Amino acid sequence: MSVVPARRRRVRKAPTILDVAAEAGVSKSTVSNVVRGAEVADATRVRVLRAIDRLGYKPNAIARQFVQQRTTMLGVLVGDLSNPYYAQMAQVAERAAFRCGYTTMFCNIEGEENIAVAGVDSLLEHRVAGMVFLAYISRTRQLENALKQASVPIVFLGLSEQWGDSVGPQDTQGGRVATEHLLTLGHRRIAYVRTPLVEPSGDRARYAGYRAAMRKAGATAGSPMQWQPGTSTVRAGAARQDLRETLGSPAGPTALFVSNDIGAIAMIETCETLGFAVPGDVSIVGFDDIALAGLHRISLTTVAQPLDFQAERAVALLLERIADPGRPSRHESVPVELRVRNSTGPPAG
Amino acid sequence: MSVVPARRRRVRKAPTILDVAAEAGVSKSTVSNVVRGAEVADATRVRVLRAIDRLGYKPNAIARQFVQQRTTMLGVLVGDLSNPYYAQMAQVAERAAFRCGYTTMFCNIEGEENIAVAGVDSLLEHRVAGMVFLAYISRTRQLENALKQASVPIVFLGLSEQWGDSVGPQDTQGGRVATEHLLTLGHRRIAYVRTPLVEPSGDRARYAGYRAAMRKAGATAGSPMQWQPGTSTVRAGAARQDLRETLGSPAGPTALFVSNDIGAIAMIETCETLGFAVPGDVSIVGFDDIALAGLHRISLTTVAQPLDFQAERAVALLLERIADPGRPSRHESVPVELRVRNSTGPPAG
DNA sequence: TCATATCCGTGGAACGTTCCAGGATGCGTG
DNA sequence: CACGCATCCTGGAACGTTCCACGGATATGA
């Protein structure tokens, strides 16, 4: 009876570097060197590679990450994957990361803070090398703390942020050109419509652009109308208004600037359901230029922001910071561009 | 001068279980027990929890996974996140996995086999506990091998497969009801249009349903028309045809059954660009019922498959198999339902 | 021939956790 | 008091890799 405790048996245990070493008749270090692409004499290398092939060895990334005390995983906190705005950025970010040898862990936060906090925790427990924050959630104290206490780099994508790195569109400029487009068409009563689907700071900047353009043209800027897609009432300040009445009244807006495309498309739907033609009775401008906006049937005039480019930059910034954590934080804002389509036209009458 | 090699120093090293143990005055095992929720006397537990809080300790999932020789990560191979069909399923799958304590690693394969193979490799190196295959790529030998050699469970989502588990829609039934709908409207010349955006086996089944319905009604089923969205030519067998001529000819189809919604919506665009009204000149039916199809401006008649339900089931099947690898493989096909909207109507004349 | 340099390969420590056998303590019972 | 038992905690081994200092050949130069 052996005193040595039997090695726990497993079904079809995956071969390790030691199995390969034995098979090839070299030390584990040599196998490690081959796998990592370090200098090894050619003859030895092929011997090892053959052994790897015979055994079907796959390096254990978990063990590697464990010993190296760092991972090649990025975490992505994404607001809502079924929203094409996020989906597209998420996709590009994943591709960019993969190209650089990083895998990507996603966490859908669905606009809920507690999920977001749990997601951050989970990502940190998995020791991701960095995080991409790609969400519109209005960050409360708890989430803010969770993010700030995280000892890993964070890049904010689609918005600019005081701390960490960030990549976002030129929101103010975008708000301005959208509004100027409507003014040029002859509109004077233009409303700014805010939906919950946009990040608060970006929203404020877009509104600021709108205000600036209105003021410059001598038109009166209204306060933002809050709108929840799917409903037909809006809130302006404390007052609730019925959308049908608002648009139907003689003093009502002839054009709407909705702060994001998903909201703008939903607004087109709602307006038409209420019997207002777009752009005949009301012109609508969006923001983002998601793929959907370009469909003929939709044809939304919008402010295009280069989603792919931003996602690429975000990953690039993140990797730079991972490589050099001491680097001062960077904030990139990328130019936007008006895309005129068929949801806007001159005001009626 | 000390002979003992100095422990490599790191900036702000994350606290480990040992730091917590020292802080709380207990052994590392006790801390481990607290963290894992094992039985620990209440007094000790609070002492440990306080220490955890003071130090800001976060369990190291990498180390845990390493010692346990298994992870709580699922890999998802997704065809194309910017396609809402996948995005929605991916989102639901991620949520379901997260609820069960699993994190999700995504890999966008973008329809390219070599990316898919590299992605599978990467997921396996990270020792994911299982994989969800959510893509339309036609699997060539190499990818097929990579998947089969993977020693982890795989579930195919959105398609049925001979091996592994799978969850998919009742494709044949769906093809039948879509076709019957058009027949009922009075169409006799109905074409089946295949785009590269659908998984081959699902496509074949939908076509089979179409054929069956046509035969039963005494109409002649054509061979599938291959169509690449964005172009205006189709291939039927070996022959290339111009879409404008095809639809314009007196013997041309009065209705199209496109095998997926993204393709169907693109087809509406193309038809209208070519001057054919939908549904006036040509009726179009899709398959999937993505959110987009329900927009007023699109209003696509389509075969609805419960995407959320399928994604949930796929994760459930995967976790069951992870828990019991010996379980016989399961294939679930879920019922579909015709959703009649405004892209179909009686044939012209 | 010896010293030195170069080239390749090796062995051991370390990473942070889990798991398990067993130790310490306290309590009830014969 | 001795013993058994329950309760609670502990220490060590193991996981698969990387990294580093070192070792043994072989070549080079004096």
Side-chain angles (χ1 to χ4, degrees), chain B residues 70-244:
Chain B
R70 65 195 154 81
T71 66
T72 51
M73 301 190 290
L74 299 183
V76 179
L77 287 161
V78 50
D80 173 11
L81 265 186
S82 64
N83 178 326
Y85 169 78
Y86 294 117
Q88 191 176 344
M89 294 239 221
Q91 177 180 39
V92 174
E94 191 277 339
R95 282 294 80 206
F98 193 82
R99 264 203 314 280
C100 300
Y102 281 76
T103 54
T104 310
M105 287 181 47
F106 277 84
C107 185
N108 247 280
I109 66 180
E110 310 202 321
E112 293 196 25
E113 194 200 0
N114 49 343
I115 297 185
V117 173
V120 171
D121 258 10
S122 169
L123 294 178
L124 290 179
E125 290 188 3
H126 283 84
R127 301 292 193 261
V128 292
M131 296 197 278
V132 178
F133 190 91
L134 173 54
Y136 52 73
I137 191 172
S138 79
R139 298 189 299 291
T140 58
R141 182 86 50 79
Q142 202 192 349
L143 177 56
E144 197 78 26
N145 283 347
L147 290 174
K148 280 195 176 149
Q149 280 170 18
S151 45
V152 303
I154 302 187
V155 57
F156 294 88
L157 175 49
L159 56 126
S160 49
E161 185 63 31
Q162 300 304 316
W163 57 285
D165 295 309
S166 66
V167 181
Q170 292 177 356
D171 289 303
T172 314
Q173 173 68 6
R176 183 164 20 224
V177 297
T179 311
E180 283 169 354
H181 166 65
L182 293 171
L183 288 163
T184 306
L185 285 170
H187 295 274
R188 303 293 291 173
R189 301 194 307 278
I190 303 169
Y192 179 88
V193 180
R194 158 184 301 165
T195 81
L197 296 173
V198 77
E199 203 275 334
S201 75
D203 181 80
R204 272 194 299 277
R206 291 170 198 185
Y207 178 63
Y210 154 83
R211 269 174 73 97
M214 291 296 271
R215 190 167 333 118
K216 191 169 147 208
T220 43
S223 46
M225 292 166 85
Q226 314 274 349
W227 181 59
Q228 171 75 49
T231 66
S232 61
T233 58
V234 292
R235 262 185 329 115
R240 284 189 165 282
Q241 303 174 12
D242 186 72
L243 204 50
R244 188 198 298 269

Side-chain angles (χ1 to χ4, degrees), chain A residues 131-169:
Chain A
M131 295 196 278
V132 179
F133 190 91
L134 172 56
Y136 53 70
I137 191 171
S138 78
R139 296 189 299 292
T140 58
R141 183 86 52 78
Q142 202 192 349
L143 177 55
E144 197 78 26
N145 283 347
L147 290 174
K148 279 193 176 150
Q149 280 170 17
S151 45
V152 302
I154 302 188
V155 57
F156 293 88
L157 175 50
L159 54 126
S160 48
E161 185 62 30
Q162 301 302 316
W163 57 286
D165 296 308
S166 67
V167 182

Side-chain angles (χ1 to χ4, degrees), chain B residues 1 11 73 219 244 257-258 288:
Chain B
M1 213 177 109
V11 238
M73 301 190 290
R244 188 198 298 269
F257 171 29
V258 186
D288 290 343

Side-chain angles (χ1 to χ4, degrees), chain A residues 175-241:
Chain A
R176 183 163 22 226
V177 297
T179 311
E180 282 169 355
H181 166 65
L182 292 170
L183 289 164
T184 307
L185 285 171
H187 294 275
R188 303 294 290 174
R189 301 194 307 279
I190 304 170
Y192 179 88
V193 179
R194 160 183 301 165
T195 81
L197 297 173
V198 76
E199 203 275 334
S201 75
D203 181 80
R204 275 194 297 279
R206 291 170 198 185
Y207 178 64
Y210 154 83
R211 268 174 73 98
M214 291 297 271
R215 189 168 332 119
K216 192 169 147 208
T220 43
S223 46
M225 291 165 89
Q226 314 274 348
W227 182 60
Q228 171 75 49
T231 68
S232 61
T233 58
V234 292
R235 262 186 329 116
R240 286 190 164 282
Q241 302 174 12

Side-chain angles (χ1 to χ4, degrees), chain A residues 240-311:
Chain A
R240 286 190 164 282
Q241 302 174 12
D242 186 73
L243 202 52
R244 189 198 298 269
E245 285 174 21
T246 306
L247 293 176
S249 102
T254 60
L256 305 176
F257 171 30
V258 186
S259 57
N260 63 91
D261 277 2
I262 291 285
I265 291 167
M267 182 58 94
I268 293 180
E269 295 273 301
T270 302
C271 286
E272 293 187 336
T273 310
L274 295 175
F276 299 98
V278 179
D281 298 320
V282 54
S283 284
I284 292 178
V285 182
F287 202 113
D288 291 343
D289 197 31
I290 59 179
L292 202 43
L295 290 179
H296 268 93
R297 288 273 186 110
I298 308 275
S299 197
L300 177 71
T301 296
T302 191
V303 178
Q305 50 170 322
L307 300 182
D308 293 11
F309 176 75
Q310 290 183 66

